[in-house]
Amino acid sequence: MTRTPTACDPERATLDKAAGENFPVAPFFLPRAWRVDLMAVYGFARLVDDIGDGDLAPGGEDARLLGVSPDEAEDRLVLLDAFEADLRRVFEGIPRHPLLRRLQPTVRSRSLTPEPFLGLIAANRQDQLVTRYETYDDLLAYCELSANPVGRLVLAVTGTSTPERIRRSDAVCTALQIVEHLQDVREDLGRDRIYLPAADMKRFHVQESDLAAATAGASVRALVAYEAERARGLLNEGAPLVGSVHGRLKLLLAGFVAGGRAAIQAIAAAEYDVLPGPPKPGRTRLLREVGLTLRGEG
């Protein structure tokens, strides 16, 4: 019997969002045990982002599962606090939310630590309190919480963590986060968030009102091109991660690097005008970049 995602089935509704992500979450070619564990990690990451963005399924079921009263079910900080408390039960008890109960066997079998999960919660808590970033270094510090834990969890689940691989992974994850911010300038502005560093906006003579235009002017395009080149440099810095592993994991990591490179190419092909909507790479471009990344080119 097929289960239909509903507000009464928050676990399935959240996991089904994996199909719409920019990058494959747990592709078919990975070993089944890895796919199960990566989907468990994804369920956590997707739910915490949905809490932070106010994108929970209607009906308040997630809040109820986390022990949050209906009166506070719209308070994202309260929900994040409750979610963090439930995460701690993953490590020392029985969690309430089904997505965290799904995560618990993965945490135990892979000896995962709380830190990367707490980082993702901290990033979403920061999103409620910080809506502008003054410098590029400030943005990098945010990415350390919002993006880098994901790559570290992938390495931990696959048993391939080393200090050098973590360093390379952090570069790739930060790059992917920056690229996503570039694609979503309009959407983020609608949430009253701007991830383009204020110092860079000033340098390129970009006002916040310029980001609300239907199409980007020359100054906005120059700013987006500048940030895209920064992301490209980070991808190049992290790309040797792909060559440091073997087998199916190598293909997965090549897909992440190639996805970022293809997205940057799509932004460039749109002449850095990201305001009408996020430029997305086609399948052919993506596959070409996967091949180049696997060969150590690009």
Side-chain angles (χ1 to χ4, degrees):
M1 179 176 177
T2 302
R3 298 173 70 191
T4 302
T6 69
C8 295
D9 187 6
E11 180 183 14
R12 178 49 48 192
T14 299
L15 293 174
D16 283 350
K17 293 181 180 181
E21 298 292 345
N22 284 335
F23 305 98
V25 173
F28 70 92
F29 57 78
L30 293 180
R32 183 179 183 280
W34 284 6
R35 285 188 279 118
V36 169
D37 289 338
L38 289 173
M39 281 302 296
V41 168
Y42 171 79
F44 172 91
R46 181 68 270 164
L47 182 57
V48 72
D49 278 354
D50 285 349
I51 293 173
D53 290 339
D55 288 339
L56 292 176
E61 182 65 8
D62 289 294
R64 187 191 68 78
L65 288 166
L66 292 171
V68 175
S69 70
D71 291 342
E72 295 183 299
E74 300 300 319
D75 189 323
R76 299 178 194 178
L77 287 173
V78 169
L79 285 169
L80 288 168
D81 287 346
F83 192 59
E84 180 175 332
D86 212 28
L87 169 68
R88 296 189 184 279
R89 295 185 192 100
V90 171
F91 293 88
E92 53 191 42
I94 301 174
R96 295 172 173 172
H97 199 287
L99 285 169
L100 293 180
R101 290 198 295 270
R102 174 188 287 262
L103 179 64
Q104 193 168 46
T106 295
V107 163
R108 290 174 173 172
S109 65
R110 304 295 182 182
S111 300
L112 303 182
T113 63
E115 284 73 24
F117 300 104
L118 291 171
L120 294 172
I121 294 174
N124 279 276
R125 193 176 280 121
Q126 185 166 314
D127 276 335
Q128 313 313 309
L129 305 171
V130 180
T131 61
R132 306 291 190 275
Y133 290 85
E134 181 62 29
T135 68
Y136 182 62
D137 285 344
D138 293 337
L139 183 63
L140 292 182
Y142 170 74
C143 292
E144 179 69 23
L145 298 173
S146 68
N148 298 359
V150 176
R152 295 183 180 206
L153 285 167
V154 170
L155 293 177
V157 163
T158 57
T160 54
S161 295
T162 67
E164 178 64 10
R165 285 177 180 149
I166 289 172
R167 186 178 74 81
R168 300 286 190 183
S169 171
D170 286 353
V172 171
C173 290
T174 291
L176 296 179
Q177 180 77 88
I178 291 172
V179 169
E180 184 177 339
H181 289 330
L182 294 179
Q183 291 175 314
D184 294 342
V185 168
R186 173 62 64 80
E187 179 182 338
D188 289 334
L189 187 65
R191 301 180 190 272
D192 191 30
R193 297 176 187 167
I194 296 177
Y195 294 101
L196 297 166
D200 296 342
M201 291 177 63
K202 183 177 180 180
R203 174 182 175 182
F204 286 91
H205 308 288
V206 172
Q207 305 293 323
E208 289 192 11
S209 58
D210 296 330
L211 303 180
T215 60
S219 295
V220 172
R221 292 176 193 240
L223 172 60
V224 171
Y226 178 71
E227 306 298 351
E229 194 57 34
R230 278 177 155 168
R232 190 194 308 276
L234 285 168
L235 284 173
N236 291 340
E237 179 184 339
L241 173 67
V242 176
S244 76
V245 299
H246 304 282
R248 287 175 277 189
L249 178 59
K250 183 172 186 174
L251 183 57
L252 177 68
L253 298 182
F256 293 154
V257 173
R261 286 172 167 167
I264 291 171
Q265 289 181 9
I267 291 171
E271 298 181 336
Y272 302 101
D273 185 3
V274 297
L275 298 187
K280 299 285 188 178
R283 182 176 177 81
T284 300
R285 185 192 300 271
L286 179 58
L287 290 175
R288 178 178 178 276
E289 285 300 321
V290 169
L292 291 173
T293 301
L294 286 170
R295 292 195 297 271
E297 303 173 22

